[in-house]
Structure formats: C-alpha cells, structure tokens
Amino acid sequence: GENVEQHPSTLSVQEGDSAVIKCTYSDSASNYFPWYKQELGKGPQLIIDIRSNVGEKKDQRIAVTLNKTAKHFSLHITETQPEDSAVYFCAAGTSGTYKYIFGTGTRLKVLA
Amino acid sequence: ETGVTQTPRHLVMGMTNKKSLKCEQHLGHNAMYWYKQSAKKPLELMFVYSLEERVENNSVPSRFSPECPNSSHLFLHLHTLQPEDSALYLCASSHKLAGGPGAEQFFGPGTRLTVL
C-alpha cells in the first residue's frame, strides 16, 4: 500500500543549530504535504504545508522543500530553540481525498 | 473555548465497560475525523464525517461506534475493548472534506485511553 517514510526517528541538535527532517512518499498522485508538530500532551499542530505547484515554502525559521521527481520533501528548522523540541510528523495527501498518509514521526530535542 | 477540544483527556476502562469520547470543534468546520495514534506507528484514520454523514469507516472493529449529531460535535462510543486498543485517540476537523485550501486538518489534544 501507499506509505510515507520519515527519517530520522530521533534528532538531537544544539540550540541555534539547524534541524532537517526528511520524508519520502510512494503515491505519485500526492500533491499536498503538511507538517505537524506535536508537543507532549497535545495533539498535532499544523506548522507549515506545501502543495506540488511550488518547490519551497518558508515561514520565519521553518521551511519545507519538495522534490516531486524524487518524491522527497523535507522540513528545515533554522536557529533552533528549546521550544522547538517536539515530535514532528510529515504527511502526504491528494486533492480530492481527505486521506493523509502520515510518517512515523521524528522526535526532535534541542539542547540548551 | 477555541479550536478543537476533546474530553476526557485521560480514560482508564476495563474490557467490559462502555464509555464515550467527545470532540467539539469551534472553528465552523464541516468535516470531522477520528484518528488512533499508537507508539511508533503512523496515525491511523478511523472515521470521517462530512456534514454529519459518515463518509469513511476504515475497517474499524464494531466495538468502536462513532456518532456525529451535528457538525460541531463528534463522539466515539466504546464497548468491550481490548488491551491493544489502548492508544491516544485524536479528533480533527477541516473546513471542507478535500481538495486544496480549506481541507487542512486541525487536531484536538486527544484522549489517552488505557484498557485494562
């Protein structure tokens, strides 16, 4: 079946450094790619998303890149802060359907 | 209250109990979802409602029974659960069901369910 692979499963960075999380999807029809941040005791929060008609999108310290040919998309967090520590999930979806295929999550720890 | 709320936040139940999870969205959305989140597994979509009509039952066992009385409220009725049903149950909502802007899903905080 369709799936999304997410790497790494855990990531530790020093405060101020950058963090990169990568996802690969299998369904070539996917054209919507959201990223969610889940803090302890909370539900996933949508932090940024990208549609297949663009290759990159940026919002302050976070950015997402998409390579449709390779079926890769990545989340980039610059100047990391302790409050960035959380589990991050990628997902792939298709216009015309509500079904997202989620990755297994990356636990990011930002060390002060 | 704003966003998507869920009650209770924690629930412990025996296998013979009957309980219900409640979700309420204050966003004026038309679609609501139930997901199951288990450790080290991708989120699993369970049920989808659009304008109070169920549009998806993702091969979920009958011991889980959803109810959507109106577009703001969603329930998940539980009975004779198994220990492997222990998980975080997440509710989500979106303005529309699918296709482009407006279909983004917003999640509640979840109910942590433990089945003994």
PDB file of all heavy atoms in Angstrom, chain B residues 30-42:
ATOM      1  N   ASN B  30     -16.863  21.764   8.574  1.00  0.00           N
ATOM      2  CA  ASN B  30     -17.915  20.862   8.126  1.00  0.00           C
ATOM      3  C   ASN B  30     -17.524  19.388   8.152  1.00  0.00           C
ATOM      4  O   ASN B  30     -18.378  18.525   7.945  1.00  0.00           O
ATOM      5  CB  ASN B  30     -18.349  21.224   6.702  1.00  0.00           C
ATOM      6  CG  ASN B  30     -18.982  22.595   6.647  1.00  0.00           C
ATOM      7  OD1 ASN B  30     -19.843  22.919   7.450  1.00  0.00           O
ATOM      8  ND2 ASN B  30     -18.543  23.410   5.707  1.00  0.00           N
ATOM      9  N   ALA B  31     -16.247  19.101   8.333  1.00  0.00           N
ATOM     10  CA  ALA B  31     -15.787  17.708   8.338  1.00  0.00           C
ATOM     11  C   ALA B  31     -15.066  17.411   9.643  1.00  0.00           C
ATOM     12  O   ALA B  31     -14.348  18.265  10.168  1.00  0.00           O
ATOM     13  CB  ALA B  31     -14.851  17.451   7.158  1.00  0.00           C
ATOM     14  N   MET B  32     -15.278  16.208  10.166  1.00  0.00           N
ATOM     15  CA  MET B  32     -14.626  15.796  11.408  1.00  0.00           C
ATOM     16  C   MET B  32     -14.105  14.378  11.268  1.00  0.00           C
ATOM     17  O   MET B  32     -14.664  13.570  10.512  1.00  0.00           O
ATOM     18  CB  MET B  32     -15.591  15.912  12.588  1.00  0.00           C
ATOM     19  CG  MET B  32     -16.061  17.343  12.844  1.00  0.00           C
ATOM     20  SD  MET B  32     -17.056  17.535  14.335  1.00  0.00           S
ATOM     21  CE  MET B  32     -15.779  17.459  15.613  1.00  0.00           C
ATOM     22  N   TYR B  33     -13.043  14.087  12.012  1.00  0.00           N
ATOM     23  CA  TYR B  33     -12.314  12.837  11.852  1.00  0.00           C
ATOM     24  C   TYR B  33     -11.962  12.247  13.210  1.00  0.00           C
ATOM     25  O   TYR B  33     -11.701  12.983  14.156  1.00  0.00           O
ATOM     26  CB  TYR B  33     -10.989  13.082  11.111  1.00  0.00           C
ATOM     27  CG  TYR B  33     -11.071  13.937   9.868  1.00  0.00           C
ATOM     28  CD1 TYR B  33     -11.233  15.313   9.945  1.00  0.00           C
ATOM     29  CD2 TYR B  33     -10.968  13.358   8.598  1.00  0.00           C
ATOM     30  CE1 TYR B  33     -11.288  16.103   8.806  1.00  0.00           C
ATOM     31  CE2 TYR B  33     -11.024  14.135   7.455  1.00  0.00           C
ATOM     32  CZ  TYR B  33     -11.180  15.511   7.562  1.00  0.00           C
ATOM     33  OH  TYR B  33     -11.243  16.286   6.427  1.00  0.00           O
ATOM     34  N   TRP B  34     -11.884  10.921  13.282  1.00  0.00           N
ATOM     35  CA  TRP B  34     -11.283  10.220  14.409  1.00  0.00           C
ATOM     36  C   TRP B  34     -10.033   9.499  13.910  1.00  0.00           C
ATOM     37  O   TRP B  34     -10.071   8.796  12.890  1.00  0.00           O
ATOM     38  CB  TRP B  34     -12.216   9.177  15.022  1.00  0.00           C
ATOM     39  CG  TRP B  34     -13.238   9.698  15.975  1.00  0.00           C
ATOM     40  CD1 TRP B  34     -14.587   9.651  15.839  1.00  0.00           C
ATOM     41  CD2 TRP B  34     -13.001  10.326  17.247  1.00  0.00           C
ATOM     42  NE1 TRP B  34     -15.201  10.229  16.927  1.00  0.00           N
ATOM     43  CE2 TRP B  34     -14.259  10.642  17.812  1.00  0.00           C
ATOM     44  CE3 TRP B  34     -11.847  10.663  17.970  1.00  0.00           C
ATOM     45  CZ2 TRP B  34     -14.405  11.284  19.050  1.00  0.00           C
ATOM     46  CZ3 TRP B  34     -11.991  11.299  19.192  1.00  0.00           C
ATOM     47  CH2 TRP B  34     -13.249  11.597  19.723  1.00  0.00           C
ATOM     48  N   TYR B  35      -8.919   9.695  14.666  1.00  0.00           N
ATOM     49  CA  TYR B  35      -7.674   9.002  14.392  1.00  0.00           C
ATOM     50  C   TYR B  35      -7.254   8.233  15.636  1.00  0.00           C
ATOM     51  O   TYR B  35      -7.527   8.644  16.769  1.00  0.00           O
ATOM     52  CB  TYR B  35      -6.537   9.987  14.079  1.00  0.00           C
ATOM     53  CG  TYR B  35      -6.559  10.618  12.718  1.00  0.00           C
ATOM     54  CD1 TYR B  35      -7.243  11.804  12.494  1.00  0.00           C
ATOM     55  CD2 TYR B  35      -5.845  10.054  11.661  1.00  0.00           C
ATOM     56  CE1 TYR B  35      -7.226  12.410  11.246  1.00  0.00           C
ATOM     57  CE2 TYR B  35      -5.819  10.650  10.413  1.00  0.00           C
ATOM     58  CZ  TYR B  35      -6.514  11.831  10.212  1.00  0.00           C
ATOM     59  OH  TYR B  35      -6.495  12.431   8.971  1.00  0.00           O
ATOM     60  N   LYS B  36      -6.493   7.151  15.426  1.00  0.00           N
ATOM     61  CA  LYS B  36      -5.848   6.419  16.505  1.00  0.00           C
ATOM     62  C   LYS B  36      -4.352   6.628  16.376  1.00  0.00           C
ATOM     63  O   LYS B  36      -3.786   6.446  15.284  1.00  0.00           O
ATOM     64  CB  LYS B  36      -6.184   4.926  16.420  1.00  0.00           C
ATOM     65  CG  LYS B  36      -5.497   4.071  17.476  1.00  0.00           C
ATOM     66  CD  LYS B  36      -5.829   2.601  17.287  1.00  0.00           C
ATOM     67  CE  LYS B  36      -5.129   1.742  18.328  1.00  0.00           C
ATOM     68  NZ  LYS B  36      -5.422   0.281  18.129  1.00  0.00           N
ATOM     69  N   GLN B  37      -3.716   7.016  17.493  1.00  0.00           N
ATOM     70  CA  GLN B  37      -2.270   7.199  17.486  1.00  0.00           C
ATOM     71  C   GLN B  37      -1.641   6.226  18.475  1.00  0.00           C
ATOM     72  O   GLN B  37      -1.837   6.336  19.677  1.00  0.00           O
ATOM     73  CB  GLN B  37      -1.883   8.637  17.847  1.00  0.00           C
ATOM     74  CG  GLN B  37      -0.386   8.897  17.727  1.00  0.00           C
ATOM     75  CD  GLN B  37      -0.017  10.343  17.995  1.00  0.00           C
ATOM     76  OE1 GLN B  37      -0.606  11.003  18.845  1.00  0.00           O
ATOM     77  NE2 GLN B  37       0.977  10.846  17.267  1.00  0.00           N
ATOM     78  N   SER B  38      -0.893   5.273  17.946  1.00  0.00           N
ATOM     79  CA  SER B  38      -0.161   4.301  18.773  1.00  0.00           C
ATOM     80  C   SER B  38       1.328   4.580  18.651  1.00  0.00           C
ATOM     81  O   SER B  38       1.788   5.134  17.651  1.00  0.00           O
ATOM     82  CB  SER B  38      -0.452   2.874  18.297  1.00  0.00           C
ATOM     83  OG  SER B  38      -1.836   2.623  18.295  1.00  0.00           O
ATOM     84  N   ALA B  39       2.063   4.170  19.670  1.00  0.00           N
ATOM     85  CA  ALA B  39       3.501   4.438  19.707  1.00  0.00           C
ATOM     86  C   ALA B  39       4.198   3.852  18.484  1.00  0.00           C
ATOM     87  O   ALA B  39       3.941   2.711  18.094  1.00  0.00           O
ATOM     88  CB  ALA B  39       4.099   3.864  20.985  1.00  0.00           C
ATOM     89  N   LYS B  40       5.039   4.677  17.882  1.00  0.00           N
ATOM     90  CA  LYS B  40       5.900   4.271  16.775  1.00  0.00           C
ATOM     91  C   LYS B  40       5.137   3.782  15.551  1.00  0.00           C
ATOM     92  O   LYS B  40       5.678   3.039  14.728  1.00  0.00           O
ATOM     93  CB  LYS B  40       6.909   3.209  17.245  1.00  0.00           C
ATOM     94  CG  LYS B  40       7.834   3.726  18.335  1.00  0.00           C
ATOM     95  CD  LYS B  40       8.895   2.710  18.720  1.00  0.00           C
ATOM     96  CE  LYS B  40       9.817   3.287  19.792  1.00  0.00           C
ATOM     97  NZ  LYS B  40      10.865   2.339  20.206  1.00  0.00           N
ATOM     98  N   LYS B  41       3.881   4.181  15.430  1.00  0.00           N
ATOM     99  CA  LYS B  41       3.092   3.851  14.238  1.00  0.00           C
ATOM    100  C   LYS B  41       2.508   5.126  13.653  1.00  0.00           C
ATOM    101  O   LYS B  41       2.249   6.084  14.384  1.00  0.00           O
ATOM    102  CB  LYS B  41       1.950   2.893  14.609  1.00  0.00           C
ATOM    103  CG  LYS B  41       2.411   1.521  15.040  1.00  0.00           C
ATOM    104  CD  LYS B  41       1.235   0.651  15.461  1.00  0.00           C
ATOM    105  CE  LYS B  41       0.331   0.323  14.306  1.00  0.00           C
ATOM    106  NZ  LYS B  41      -0.766  -0.625  14.723  1.00  0.00           N
ATOM    107  N   PRO B  42       2.295   5.143  12.354  1.00  0.00           N
ATOM    108  CA  PRO B  42       1.653   6.326  11.763  1.00  0.00           C
ATOM    109  C   PRO B  42       0.232   6.489  12.283  1.00  0.00           C
ATOM    110  O   PRO B  42      -0.404   5.513  12.685  1.00  0.00           O
ATOM    111  CB  PRO B  42       1.641   6.008  10.264  1.00  0.00           C
ATOM    112  CG  PRO B  42       2.650   4.931  10.078  1.00  0.00           C
ATOM    113  CD  PRO B  42       2.662   4.147  11.346  1.00  0.00           C
TER     114      PRO B  42
END
